[in-house]
Amino acid sequence: MINVEPWEELAEAENTYFAIRMRMFAAGAETQLRKALATPRGRRTALRVLLEAPAELRMDLIEPVFEATLGSTAEVATARAVLRLVDPGWLTMALRPLLLQRFSDSREPIDWSEYRRAAELLGELGQPALLGLLLSLGSETDDPDVREVVDDFWNVAEHQPDGRP
């Protein structure tokens, strides 16, 4: 019986991971990752793959990655790390319609916890104009929890260039 060290097993597992990742890219990575991002089981791995993926692929999957930043799961930090790798100017243009779609639909009440995570995300990403937009949308609601988020982040937005809409 050969005694295999744990680091050797880990190195072999990493080699397997790289080989399977290459097969996934050959089979159409965007489709594969979009499917994975839509499930709790696949989301963590898909986000880790996107940390090392080409910029274009991260950009193609911006919507499901943005959605992952709003969840209450362990993947929020990884999803935010993926977005930090995207060009900030492009990200401003891509996130604006997603924010408007998510937080200005008058048929659905704004979820204060998602609203807070979006504000945190925009602050972390250095997106003061988008943070100002989000705060403006939140200031129009009667929900006291959302209003609290607006109050908490308004100072952040106004102390950065272009912080207010």
Side-chain angles (χ1 to χ4, degrees):
M1 183 160 142
I2 299 174
N3 188 14
V4 178
E5 295 289 330
W7 72 265
E8 292 173 305
E9 291 177 306
L10 185 60
E12 185 57 37
E14 184 177 47
N15 288 337
T16 301
Y17 166 79
F18 286 127
I20 294 170
R21 191 176 75 169
M22 294 308 293
R23 281 198 346 245
M24 182 192 64
F25 278 101
E30 181 182 347
T31 301
Q32 296 290 309
L33 291 172
R34 192 172 297 280
K35 288 178 186 176
L37 286 165
T39 67
R41 182 171 177 245
R43 191 171 298 119
R44 178 176 293 153
T45 302
L47 290 168
R48 283 192 3 241
V49 167
L50 286 172
L51 286 171
E52 300 172 346
E56 297 79 19
L57 185 56
R58 286 191 288 268
M59 293 163 69
D60 289 342
L61 294 168
I62 200 74
E63 186 172 357
V65 173
F66 169 70
E67 290 294 324
T69 68
L70 303 178
S72 59
T73 63
E75 292 87 26
V76 168
T78 308
R80 289 179 181 183
V82 170
L83 291 183
R84 280 193 296 273
L85 296 172
V86 176
D87 175 75
W90 186 90
L91 195 58
T92 300
M93 293 185 304
L95 288 181
R96 183 178 176 80
L98 297 177
L99 288 168
L100 289 170
Q101 176 185 353
R102 182 66 172 231
F103 296 107
S104 69
D105 186 350
S106 60
R107 295 171 290 159
E108 295 289 326
I110 295 176
D111 179 308
W112 74 269
S113 61
E114 289 182 357
Y115 190 83
R116 180 169 293 280
R117 280 189 289 282
E120 291 168 348
L121 170 71
L122 297 171
E124 283 181 26
L125 294 175
Q127 294 284 339
L130 291 180
L131 179 56
L133 170 65
L134 180 69
L135 298 177
S136 176
L137 294 171
S139 67
E140 297 172 4
T141 183
D142 294 330
D143 184 325
D145 293 323
V146 172
R147 297 295 298 229
E148 181 181 332
V149 176
V150 171
D151 292 343
D152 289 349
F153 283 87
W154 199 253
N155 286 336
V156 173
E158 69 183 358
H159 287 96
Q160 296 182 31
D162 300 324
R164 288 196 169 179

